[in-house]
Coordinates of all heavy atoms in Angstrom, one line a residue:
L15 N -154.3 24.8 17.5 CA -154.0 26.0 16.8 C -152.6 26.0 16.5 O -151.7 25.9 17.2 CB -154.2 27.2 17.9 CG -155.7 27.4 18.3 CD1 -155.7 28.4 19.4 CD2 -156.6 27.7 17.3
T16 N -152.5 26.0 15.2 CA -151.1 25.9 14.6 C -150.5 27.2 14.1 O -151.3 28.1 13.8 CB -151.0 24.8 13.4 OG1 -151.8 25.3 12.4 CG2 -151.5 23.5 13.8
K17 N -149.3 27.3 13.9 CA -148.6 28.5 13.4 C -149.1 28.9 12.0 O -149.1 30.1 11.6 CB -147.1 28.4 13.5 CG -146.6 28.3 14.8 CD -145.1 28.1 14.7 CE -144.5 27.7 16.1 NZ -143.1 27.4 16.1
D18 N -149.7 28.0 11.2 CA -150.2 28.2 10.0 C -151.4 29.1 10.0 O -151.7 29.9 9.2 CB -150.7 27.0 9.1 CG -149.5 26.2 8.9 OD1 -148.3 26.6 9.0 OD2 -149.5 24.9 8.7
F19 N -152.2 29.1 11.2 CA -153.4 29.8 11.3 C -153.4 30.9 12.3 O -154.0 32.0 12.2 CB -154.6 28.9 11.6 CG -154.9 27.8 10.6 CD1 -154.5 26.5 10.7 CD2 -155.4 28.2 9.3 CE1 -154.6 25.5 9.8 CE2 -155.6 27.2 8.4 CZ -155.2 26.0 8.5
V20 N -152.7 30.8 13.4 CA -152.7 31.6 14.5 C -151.1 31.9 14.9 O -150.4 30.8 15.0 CB -153.3 31.0 15.7 CG1 -153.2 32.0 16.9 CG2 -154.8 30.8 15.4
T21 N -150.7 33.1 14.9 CA -149.2 33.3 15.1 C -148.8 33.5 16.7 O -147.8 33.3 17.0 CB -148.8 34.6 14.5 OG1 -149.6 35.8 14.9 CG2 -149.0 34.5 12.9
A22 N -149.9 33.8 17.4 CA -149.7 33.8 18.9 C -151.1 33.7 19.6 O -152.0 34.0 19.0 CB -149.0 35.1 19.3
L23 N -151.0 33.3 20.8 CA -152.3 33.1 21.6 C -152.0 33.4 23.0 O -151.1 33.2 23.6 CB -152.6 31.6 21.5 CG -153.8 31.0 22.3 CD1 -155.1 31.7 21.6 CD2 -153.9 29.6 22.2
I24 N -153.1 34.2 23.6 CA -153.1 34.6 25.0 C -154.4 34.0 25.5 O -155.4 34.2 25.0 CB -153.1 36.1 25.2 CG1 -151.8 36.8 24.7 CG2 -153.3 36.4 26.7 CD1 -151.7 38.2 24.7
V25 N -154.3 33.2 26.6 CA -155.4 32.5 27.3 C -155.6 33.2 28.6 O -154.6 33.3 29.5 CB -155.2 31.0 27.3 CG1 -156.3 30.4 28.0 CG2 -155.0 30.5 25.9
W26 N -156.7 33.6 28.9 CA -157.1 34.2 30.2 C -158.4 33.7 30.7 O -159.5 33.7 29.9 CB -157.0 35.8 30.2 CG -157.5 36.3 31.5 CD1 -156.8 36.5 32.6 CD2 -158.7 37.0 31.6 NE1 -157.5 37.1 33.6 CE2 -158.7 37.4 32.9 CE3 -159.8 37.2 30.7 CZ2 -159.8 38.2 33.5 CZ3 -160.9 37.9 31.4 CH2 -161.0 38.4 32.7
G27 N -158.6 33.2 31.9 CA -159.8 32.8 32.5 C -160.5 31.7 31.9 O -161.7 31.6 31.8
G28 N -159.7 30.6 31.5 CA -160.3 29.5 31.0 C -160.0 28.2 31.9 O -159.0 28.2 32.6
N29 N -160.8 27.2 31.7 CA -160.4 25.9 32.3 C -160.3 24.8 31.3 O -161.1 24.8 30.4 CB -161.6 25.5 33.3 CG -161.7 26.4 34.6 OD1 -161.1 27.4 34.6 ND2 -162.4 25.9 35.6
S30 N -159.3 24.0 31.5 CA -159.2 22.8 30.5 C -159.9 21.6 31.1 O -160.0 20.6 30.3 CB -157.7 22.6 30.3 OG -157.0 22.2 31.4
Y31 N -160.3 21.6 32.3 CA -161.0 20.6 33.0 C -162.0 21.0 34.0 O -161.8 22.2 34.5 CB -160.0 19.5 33.6 CG -159.1 20.0 34.6 CD1 -159.6 20.0 36.0 CD2 -157.9 20.7 34.4 CE1 -158.9 20.5 37.0 CE2 -157.1 21.2 35.3 CZ -157.6 21.1 36.7 OH -156.9 21.6 37.6
V32 N -163.0 20.3 34.4 CA -163.8 20.6 35.4 C -163.9 19.6 36.4 O -163.6 18.4 36.2 CB -165.3 20.8 34.8 CG1 -165.8 19.5 34.3 CG2 -166.3 21.4 35.9
T33 N -164.0 19.9 37.7 CA -163.9 18.9 38.9 C -165.4 18.8 39.5 O -166.2 19.6 39.5 CB -162.9 19.4 39.9 OG1 -163.4 20.6 40.5 CG2 -161.4 19.6 39.3
E34 N -165.4 17.8 40.5 CA -166.5 17.8 41.3 C -166.8 19.0 42.1 O -168.0 19.4 42.3 CB -166.4 16.6 42.4 CG -166.4 15.1 41.7 CD -167.9 14.6 41.6 OE1 -168.8 15.3 42.2 OE2 -168.0 13.6 41.1
E35 N -165.8 19.7 42.7 CA -165.8 20.9 43.5 C -166.5 21.8 42.6 O -167.3 22.7 43.0 CB -164.5 21.3 43.9 CG -164.5 22.5 44.7 CD -163.1 22.9 45.3 OE1 -162.2 22.1 45.2 OE2 -163.1 24.0 45.9
D36 N -166.1 22.1 41.3 CA -166.5 23.0 40.3 C -168.0 22.9 40.2 O -168.8 23.8 40.2 CB -165.7 22.9 39.0 CG -164.3 23.3 39.0 OD1 -163.9 24.1 39.8 OD2 -163.6 22.7 38.2
V37 N -168.4 21.6 39.8 CA -169.8 21.3 39.5 C -170.7 21.6 40.8 O -171.7 22.2 40.6 CB -170.1 19.9 39.1 CG1 -171.5 19.6 39.1 CG2 -169.3 19.7 37.7
R38 N -170.1 21.4 42.0 CA -170.9 21.8 43.3 C -171.0 23.3 43.4 O -172.2 23.8 43.6 CB -170.2 21.3 44.5 CG -170.4 19.7 44.7 CD -169.9 19.4 46.2 NE -168.6 19.5 46.5 CZ -167.6 18.6 46.2 NH1 -167.9 17.5 45.6 NH2 -166.3 18.9 46.3
A39 N -170.0 24.0 43.0 CA -170.2 25.4 43.0 C -171.1 26.0 42.0 O -171.8 26.9 42.2 CB -168.7 26.1 42.7
Y40 N -171.1 25.4 40.7 CA -172.1 25.8 39.8 C -173.5 25.4 40.2 O -174.4 26.2 40.0 CB -171.8 25.1 38.4 CG -170.4 25.4 37.8 CD1 -169.7 24.5 37.2 CD2 -170.0 26.7 37.7 CE1 -168.5 24.7 36.5 CE2 -168.7 27.0 37.1 CZ -168.1 26.0 36.6 OH -166.9 26.4 35.9
E41 N -173.7 24.3 40.8 CA -175.0 23.9 41.3 C -175.4 24.9 42.4 O -176.8 25.2 42.5 CB -175.1 22.5 41.8 CG -174.9 21.4 40.6 CD -176.1 21.3 39.9 OE1 -177.2 22.0 40.1 OE2 -176.1 20.6 38.8
A42 N -174.6 25.4 43.2 CA -174.9 26.3 44.3 C -175.4 27.6 43.9 O -176.1 28.3 44.5 CB -173.7 26.5 45.2
V43 N -175.0 28.0 42.6 CA -175.5 29.2 42.0 C -176.4 29.1 40.7 O -176.6 30.0 40.0 CB -174.3 30.3 41.7 CG1 -173.6 30.7 43.0 CG2 -173.4 29.6 40.8
R44 N -177.1 27.9 40.7 CA -177.8 27.6 39.6 C -179.1 28.6 39.5 O -179.4 29.0 38.5 CB -178.4 26.1 39.6 CG -179.3 25.7 38.4 CD -179.9 24.4 38.5 NE -178.9 23.3 38.2 CZ -178.9 22.9 37.0 NH1 -179.5 23.4 36.0 NH2 -178.0 21.9 36.7
D45 N -179.7 28.8 40.7 CA -181.0 29.5 40.6 C -180.6 31.0 40.8 O -180.2 31.4 41.9 CB -181.7 29.1 41.9 CG -183.1 29.8 42.0 OD1 -183.4 30.8 41.4 OD2 -184.0 29.4 42.7
V46 N -180.7 31.7 39.7 CA -180.1 33.1 39.6 C -181.0 34.0 40.6 O -180.5 34.9 41.0 CB -180.0 33.6 38.3 CG1 -179.0 32.9 37.4 CG2 -181.4 33.7 37.5
S47 N -182.3 33.7 40.8 CA -183.1 34.5 41.5 C -182.8 34.4 43.1 O -183.1 35.3 43.8 CB -184.7 34.2 41.4 OG -184.9 32.9 41.7
R48 N -182.3 33.4 43.5 CA -181.9 33.1 44.9 C -180.4 33.2 45.2 O -180.1 33.7 46.3 CB -182.4 31.7 45.4 CG -183.8 31.6 45.3 CD -184.3 30.3 45.9 NE -185.7 30.3 46.2 CZ -186.3 29.2 46.7 NH1 -185.7 28.2 46.9 NH2 -187.6 29.3 46.9
S49 N -179.6 32.8 44.4 CA -178.1 32.7 44.7 C -177.3 33.9 44.1 O -176.2 34.0 44.5 CB -177.5 31.4 44.3 OG -177.8 31.3 43.0
W50 N -177.8 34.7 43.2 CA -177.1 35.7 42.7 C -177.4 37.1 43.4 O -178.7 37.3 43.7 CB -177.4 35.9 41.2 CG -176.8 34.8 40.3 CD1 -176.6 33.4 40.7 CD2 -176.5 34.9 38.9 NE1 -176.1 32.8 39.7 CE2 -176.1 33.6 38.6 CE3 -176.4 35.9 38.0 CZ2 -175.6 33.4 37.2 CZ3 -176.1 35.7 36.7 CH2 -175.6 34.4 36.4
S51 N -176.7 37.9 43.6 CA -177.0 39.3 44.0 C -177.8 40.0 43.0 O -177.8 39.8 41.8 CB -175.6 40.2 44.2 OG -175.1 40.6 43.1
E52 N -178.6 40.9 43.6 CA -179.6 41.7 42.7 C -178.8 42.5 41.6 O -179.3 42.5 40.5 CB -180.3 42.6 43.6 CG -181.5 43.4 42.8 CD -182.2 44.3 43.6 OE1 -182.4 44.1 44.9 OE2 -182.9 45.2 42.9
R53 N -177.7 43.0 42.1 CA -176.9 43.8 41.1 C -176.4 42.9 39.9 O -176.5 43.2 38.7 CB -175.7 44.5 41.7 CG -174.8 45.2 40.8 CD -173.8 45.9 41.6 NE -172.7 46.5 40.4 CZ -171.6 46.6 40.8 NH1 -171.0 46.3 41.9 NH2 -170.8 47.1 39.9
M54 N -175.8 41.8 40.3 CA -175.3 40.8 39.2 C -176.5 40.3 38.3 O -176.3 40.3 37.1 CB -174.6 39.6 39.9 CG -173.9 38.8 39.0 SD -173.1 37.4 39.8 CE -171.9 37.1 38.6
R55 N -177.5 40.0 39.0 CA -178.7 39.5 38.3 C -179.2 40.5 37.3 O -179.5 40.1 36.2 CB -179.7 39.0 39.2 CG -181.0 38.3 38.6 CD -181.8 37.8 39.8 NE -182.2 38.7 40.8 CZ -181.9 38.7 42.1 NH1 -181.1 37.6 42.6 NH2 -182.2 39.6 42.9
K56 N -179.3 41.7 37.7 CA -179.9 42.8 36.9 C -178.9 43.0 35.7 O -179.4 43.1 34.6 CB -180.1 43.9 37.7 CG -180.6 45.2 37.0 CD -180.7 46.4 37.9 CE -181.4 47.6 37.1 NZ -181.3 48.8 37.9
D57 N -177.7 43.2 36.0 CA -176.7 43.4 34.9 C -176.7 42.4 33.9 O -176.7 42.6 32.7 CB -175.3 43.7 35.5 CG -175.2 45.0 36.3 OD1 -176.1 45.8 36.3 OD2 -174.1 45.1 37.0
K58 N -176.6 41.1 34.2 CA -176.5 40.0 33.4 C -177.9 39.8 32.7 O -177.8 39.4 31.4 CB -176.2 38.7 34.1 CG -174.8 38.8 34.9 CD -173.7 38.8 33.9 CE -172.3 38.8 34.7 NZ -171.2 39.0 33.8
A59 N -178.9 40.0 33.3 CA -180.1 39.9 32.7 C -180.4 40.8 31.5 O -181.0 40.4 30.5 CB -181.4 39.9 33.7
A60 N -179.9 42.1 31.7 CA -180.1 43.0 30.8 C -179.2 42.7 29.5 O -179.7 42.9 28.4 CB -179.6 44.4 31.3
V61 N -178.0 42.1 29.6 CA -177.3 41.6 28.6 C -177.8 40.5 27.9 O -177.8 40.2 26.6 CB -175.8 41.4 29.1 CG1 -175.0 40.8 27.9 CG2 -175.2 42.7 29.6
H62 N -178.5 39.5 28.5 CA -178.9 38.2 28.0 C -180.3 38.1 27.6 O -180.8 37.0 27.6 CB -178.4 37.1 28.9 CG -176.9 36.9 29.0 ND1 -176.2 36.5 28.0 CD2 -176.0 37.3 29.9 CE1 -174.9 36.6 28.4 NE2 -174.8 37.0 29.5
G63 N -181.1 39.2 27.6 CA -182.4 39.2 27.3 C -183.5 38.9 28.4 O -184.6 38.4 28.1
G64 N -183.2 39.3 29.5 CA -184.2 39.1 30.6 C -183.9 38.0 31.6 O -182.9 37.1 31.3
I65 N -184.5 38.0 32.6 CA -184.2 37.0 33.7 C -184.6 35.5 33.3 O -183.8 34.6 33.6 CB -185.0 37.4 35.1 CG1 -184.5 36.6 36.3 CG2 -186.5 37.1 34.9 CD1 -183.0 37.1 36.7
E66 N -185.5 35.3 32.5 CA -185.9 34.0 32.2 C -184.8 33.4 31.2 O -184.3 32.4 31.3 CB -187.2 34.0 31.5 CG -188.4 34.2 32.4 CD -188.7 35.6 32.6 OE1 -188.1 36.5 31.8 OE2 -189.4 36.0 33.5
A67 N -184.3 34.3 30.2 CA -183.3 33.9 29.4 C -182.0 33.7 30.1 O -181.1 32.7 29.9 CB -183.1 34.9 28.2
L68 N -181.6 34.5 31.1 CA -180.5 34.3 32.0 C -180.5 33.1 32.7 O -179.6 32.2 32.8 CB -180.3 35.5 32.8 CG -179.1 35.3 33.9 CD1 -177.8 35.4 33.1 CD2 -179.2 36.6 34.9
Q69 N -181.7 32.6 33.3 CA -181.8 31.5 34.0 C -181.6 30.3 33.1 O -180.9 29.3 33.5 CB -183.2 31.4 34.7 CG -183.4 30.2 35.6 CD -182.3 30.0 36.7 OE1 -182.4 30.9 37.6 NE2 -181.6 29.0 36.6
A70 N -182.3 30.3 31.9 CA -182.0 29.2 31.0 C -180.6 29.1 30.6 O -180.1 28.0 30.5 CB -183.0 29.4 29.7
L71 N -180.0 30.2 30.3 CA -178.5 30.1 29.9 C -177.7 29.4 31.0 O -176.8 28.7 30.8 CB -178.0 31.6 29.6 CG -176.6 31.6 29.2 CD1 -176.4 30.8 27.8 CD2 -176.2 33.1 28.9
N72 N -178.0 30.0 32.3 CA -177.1 29.4 33.4 C -177.5 27.9 33.6 O -176.7 27.2 34.0 CB -177.5 30.3 34.7 CG -176.6 30.1 35.8 OD1 -175.3 30.1 35.6 ND2 -177.0 29.5 37.0
D73 N -178.8 27.6 33.5 CA -179.1 26.2 33.5 C -178.3 25.3 32.5 O -177.7 24.2 32.7 CB -180.5 25.8 33.4 CG -181.4 26.2 34.7 OD1 -180.8 26.3 35.7 OD2 -182.6 26.4 34.4
K74 N -178.3 25.8 31.2 CA -177.6 25.0 30.2 C -176.0 24.9 30.5 O -175.4 24.0 30.3 CB -177.8 25.8 28.8 CG -179.1 25.6 28.3 CD -179.2 26.3 27.0 CE -180.7 26.2 26.4 NZ -180.8 27.0 25.2
Y75 N -175.4 26.1 31.1 CA -174.0 26.0 31.4 C -173.8 25.1 32.5 O -172.9 24.2 32.4 CB -173.6 27.5 31.7 CG -172.1 27.5 32.1 CD1 -171.1 27.5 31.1 CD2 -171.7 27.5 33.4 CE1 -169.8 27.6 31.3 CE2 -170.3 27.5 33.6 CZ -169.4 27.6 32.7 OH -168.1 27.5 33.0
T76 N -174.6 25.1 33.6 CA -174.4 24.2 34.7 C -174.6 22.7 34.2 O -173.8 21.9 34.6 CB -175.4 24.6 35.8 OG1 -175.3 25.9 36.1 CG2 -175.2 23.7 37.0
D77 N -175.7 22.4 33.4 CA -175.8 21.1 32.9 C -174.6 20.6 32.0 O -174.2 19.5 32.2 CB -177.1 21.0 32.1 CG -178.3 21.2 33.0 OD1 -178.2 21.1 34.1 OD2 -179.5 21.5 32.3
A78 N -174.1 21.5 31.3 CA -173.0 21.3 30.3 C -171.7 20.8 31.2 O -171.0 19.9 31.0 CB -172.7 22.3 29.4
M79 N -171.4 21.6 32.3 CA -170.4 21.4 33.1 C -170.4 20.0 33.8 O -169.4 19.3 33.9 CB -170.1 22.5 34.1 CG -169.6 23.9 33.5 SD -168.0 23.7 32.6 CE -168.6 23.6 30.9
R80 N -171.7 19.7 34.3 CA -171.9 18.5 34.9 C -171.8 17.3 34.0 O -171.2 16.3 34.2 CB -173.3 18.5 35.5 CG -173.7 17.2 36.3 CD -175.2 17.0 36.5 NE -175.9 16.9 35.3 CZ -177.0 17.7 35.0 NH1 -177.5 18.5 35.8 NH2 -177.6 17.5 33.7
D81 N -172.3 17.5 32.7 CA -172.2 16.5 31.7 C -170.7 16.3 31.4 O -170.2 15.1 31.1 CB -172.9 16.8 30.4 CG -174.5 16.8 30.7 OD1 -174.9 16.2 31.7 OD2 -175.2 17.3 29.7
I82 N -169.9 17.3 31.2 CA -168.5 17.1 30.9 C -167.8 16.4 32.0 O -167.0 15.6 31.7 CB -167.8 18.5 30.7 CG1 -168.3 19.0 29.4 CG2 -166.3 18.4 30.8 CD1 -167.8 20.6 29.1
L83 N -168.2 16.7 33.3 CA -167.5 15.8 34.4 C -167.8 14.4 34.3 O -166.9 13.7 34.5 CB -168.0 16.6 35.7 CG -167.6 15.7 37.0 CD1 -166.0 15.9 37.1 CD2 -168.3 16.2 38.2
Y84 N -169.0 14.0 34.1 CA -169.5 12.7 34.2 C -169.3 11.9 32.9 O -169.0 10.7 32.9 CB -170.9 12.6 34.7 CG -171.0 13.1 36.2 CD1 -171.7 14.1 36.5 CD2 -170.3 12.4 37.1 CE1 -171.8 14.5 37.8 CE2 -170.3 12.8 38.4 CZ -171.0 14.0 38.7 OH -171.1 14.5 39.9
E85 N -169.4 12.6 31.8 CA -169.4 12.0 30.4 C -168.0 12.0 29.8 O -167.7 11.0 29.0 CB -170.4 12.5 29.4 CG -171.8 12.3 29.9 CD -172.9 13.0 29.0 OE1 -172.4 13.6 27.9 OE2 -174.0 13.1 29.5
R86 N -167.1 12.9 30.3 CA -165.8 13.1 29.7 C -164.7 13.2 30.7 O -163.7 13.6 30.5 CB -165.8 14.5 28.8 CG -166.7 14.5 27.6 CD -166.7 15.7 26.9 NE -165.3 16.3 26.8 CZ -164.6 16.3 25.6 NH1 -165.2 15.7 24.5 NH2 -163.4 16.8 25.6
S87 N -165.1 12.7 31.9 CA -164.1 12.6 33.0 C -163.6 14.0 33.3 O -162.4 14.2 33.7 CB -163.0 11.7 32.8 OG -163.5 10.4 32.7
G88 N -164.4 15.1 33.1 CA -164.1 16.4 33.5 C -163.2 17.1 32.3 O -162.9 18.3 32.5
D89 N -162.9 16.5 31.3 CA -162.0 17.0 30.3 C -162.8 17.9 29.3 O -163.5 17.6 28.5 CB -161.5 15.8 29.4 CG -160.5 16.3 28.4 OD1 -160.3 17.4 28.2 OD2 -159.8 15.5 27.8
V90 N -162.5 19.3 29.6 CA -163.1 20.4 28.7 C -162.4 20.4 27.4 O -162.9 20.2 26.3 CB -163.1 21.7 29.5 CG1 -163.6 22.8 28.6 CG2 -163.9 21.6 30.7
C91 N -161.0 20.5 27.6 CA -160.2 20.4 26.4 C -158.8 19.9 26.7 O -157.9 20.1 25.8 CB -160.2 21.8 25.7 SG -159.4 23.1 26.8
L92 N -158.6 19.5 27.8 CA -157.2 18.9 28.3 C -156.5 18.1 27.2 O -155.4 18.2 27.1 CB -157.4 18.3 29.7 CG -156.1 18.1 30.4 CD1 -155.3 19.3 30.7 CD2 -156.4 17.4 31.8
S93 N -157.4 17.2 26.8 CA -156.7 16.1 25.9 C -156.5 16.8 24.4 O -155.7 16.2 23.7 CB -157.7 14.9 25.7 OG -158.9 15.5 25.0
E94 N -156.7 17.9 24.3 CA -156.4 18.5 22.9 C -155.4 19.7 23.1 O -154.9 20.2 22.0 CB -157.7 19.2 22.4 CG -158.8 18.2 22.0 CD -158.3 17.2 21.0 OE1 -157.7 17.7 19.9 OE2 -158.7 16.1 21.2
L95 N -154.9 20.0 24.2 CA -153.9 21.1 24.4 C -152.6 20.8 23.7 O -151.9 21.7 23.3 CB -153.6 21.3 25.9 CG -154.8 21.8 26.8 CD1 -154.5 22.0 28.2 CD2 -155.4 23.1 26.1
H96 N -152.3 19.6 23.6 CA -151.0 19.3 22.9 C -151.0 19.7 21.4 O -150.0 19.7 20.8 CB -150.8 17.8 23.0 CG -151.6 17.0 22.0 ND1 -152.9 16.6 22.4 CD2 -151.6 16.4 20.8 CE1 -153.5 15.9 21.6 NE2 -152.7 15.7 20.4
R97 N -152.2 20.0 20.9 CA -152.3 20.4 19.4 C -151.9 21.9 19.2 O -151.8 22.3 18.2 CB -153.7 20.0 18.9 CG -153.9 18.6 18.9 CD -155.3 18.2 18.5 NE -155.4 18.6 17.1 CZ -156.6 18.6 16.4 NH1 -157.7 18.3 17.0 NH2 -156.6 19.0 15.1
I98 N -151.8 22.7 20.3 CA -151.5 24.0 20.2 C -150.0 24.2 20.0 O -149.2 23.7 20.9 CB -152.0 24.8 21.5 CG1 -153.5 24.7 21.6 CG2 -151.5 26.2 21.4 CD1 -153.9 25.3 23.0
T99 N -149.6 24.6 18.9 CA -148.2 24.7 18.6 C -147.7 26.2 18.5 O -146.4 26.4 18.4 CB -147.8 24.1 17.3 OG1 -148.5 24.6 16.2 CG2 -148.1 22.5 17.4
C100 N -148.6 27.1 18.4 CA -148.1 28.5 18.3 C -147.6 29.0 19.8 O -148.1 28.4 20.7 CB -149.3 29.4 17.8 SG -150.7 29.6 18.9
P101 N -146.9 30.1 19.8 CA -146.4 30.6 21.0 C -147.7 31.0 21.9 O -148.6 31.7 21.3 CB -145.7 31.8 20.6 CG -145.2 31.6 19.2 CD -146.2 30.7 18.6
T102 N -147.8 30.7 23.2 CA -148.9 30.8 23.9 C -148.6 31.5 25.3 O -147.7 30.9 26.0 CB -149.7 29.5 24.1 OG1 -149.9 28.9 22.8 CG2 -150.9 29.7 24.9
L103 N -149.3 32.5 25.7 CA -149.1 33.0 27.1 C -150.4 32.6 27.9 O -151.4 33.0 27.4 CB -149.0 34.5 27.0 CG -149.0 35.2 28.3 CD1 -147.9 34.9 29.2 CD2 -149.0 36.8 28.2
V104 N -150.2 32.0 28.9 CA -151.4 31.6 29.8 C -151.4 32.5 31.0 O -150.4 32.4 31.7 CB -151.3 30.1 30.2 CG1 -152.5 29.7 31.1 CG2 -151.4 29.3 28.9
V105 N -152.3 33.4 31.2 CA -152.5 34.2 32.3 C -153.4 33.5 33.3 O -154.5 33.2 33.0 CB -153.0 35.6 31.9 CG1 -153.1 36.5 33.0 CG2 -152.2 36.2 30.7
H106 N -152.8 33.3 34.5 CA -153.5 32.4 35.5 C -153.2 33.0 36.9 O -152.0 33.4 37.2 CB -153.2 31.0 35.4 CG -153.8 30.1 36.4 ND1 -155.2 29.8 36.4 CD2 -153.3 29.6 37.5 CE1 -155.4 29.0 37.4 NE2 -154.4 28.8 38.1
G107 N -154.1 33.0 37.7 CA -153.8 33.2 39.1 C -155.1 33.3 39.9 O -156.1 33.0 39.5
R108 N -154.9 33.6 41.2 CA -156.0 33.7 42.1 C -156.4 35.2 42.4 O -155.4 36.0 42.3 CB -155.7 32.9 43.5 CG -155.5 31.5 43.3 CD -155.6 30.8 44.6 NE -155.5 29.3 44.4 CZ -156.3 28.5 44.2 NH1 -157.7 28.9 44.1 NH2 -156.2 27.2 44.1
K109 N -157.5 35.4 42.9 CA -157.8 36.7 43.2 C -157.0 37.3 44.4 O -156.6 36.6 45.3 CB -159.3 36.9 43.7 CG -160.3 36.7 42.4 CD -161.7 36.8 42.9 CE -162.8 36.6 41.9 NZ -164.0 36.7 42.2

C-alpha cells in the first residue's frame, strides 16, 4: 500500500503469519456443531446462510490456515509488509 493509493492505514485484528499452535487451535474448533457454543453457532449461521454453510466456511478457513503453515512456512503476508509505505497504525494486544 503506497501513498499514491492509500494515505493512511489502521490495522486491527490481523495476523501476518500462522503457527503450529494457531493451526491446532483452528482444528480444535473445526466442528462448529460440537466445539462452538450454541449462541455463537446460531448467530454466525444466521449471517452465513445456515449451519451447513457456516461449517463449510469454517472448514475452508481452517484448511487455508493449515495450507499456509505447511506450504508457505506460515507466511500469511509477512514477506509483503515491507511494501506498505503509507503511515500505519497497528492496534494489537491481548484480551
Side-chain angles (χ1 to χ4, degrees):
L15 299 173
T16 65
K17 293 177 188 174
D18 296 337
F19 299 105
V20 178
T21 58
L23 177 67
I24 298 175
V25 178
W26 173 74
N29 291 11
S30 59
Y31 61 91
V32 65
T33 66
E34 289 270 358
E35 182 180 352
D36 295 329
V37 171
R38 281 193 299 272
Y40 297 137
E41 289 291 353
V43 294
R44 179 185 282 272
D45 185 345
V46 299
S47 66
R48 291 185 166 178
S49 59
W50 292 27
S51 70
E52 182 178 343
R53 178 179 171 207
M54 183 178 211
R55 187 172 50 247
K56 181 180 176 185
D57 290 348
K58 300 290 184 186
V61 171
H62 293 290
I65 193 70
E66 294 84 10
L68 176 62
Q69 183 62 63
L71 182 64
N72 194 54
D73 285 339
K74 287 179 184 178
Y75 181 80
T76 301
D77 292 344
M79 293 299 104
R80 185 195 60 227
D81 291 348
I82 289 169
L83 176 63
Y84 296 117
E85 295 173 12
R86 297 175 44 106
S87 300
D89 185 353
V90 174
C91 63
L92 190 61
S93 62
E94 297 297 318
L95 294 179
H96 71 278
R97 297 178 64 191
I98 299 172
T99 60
C100 64
T102 304
L103 172 64
V104 178
V105 181
H106 177 75
R108 295 196 182 269
K109 289 183 180 179

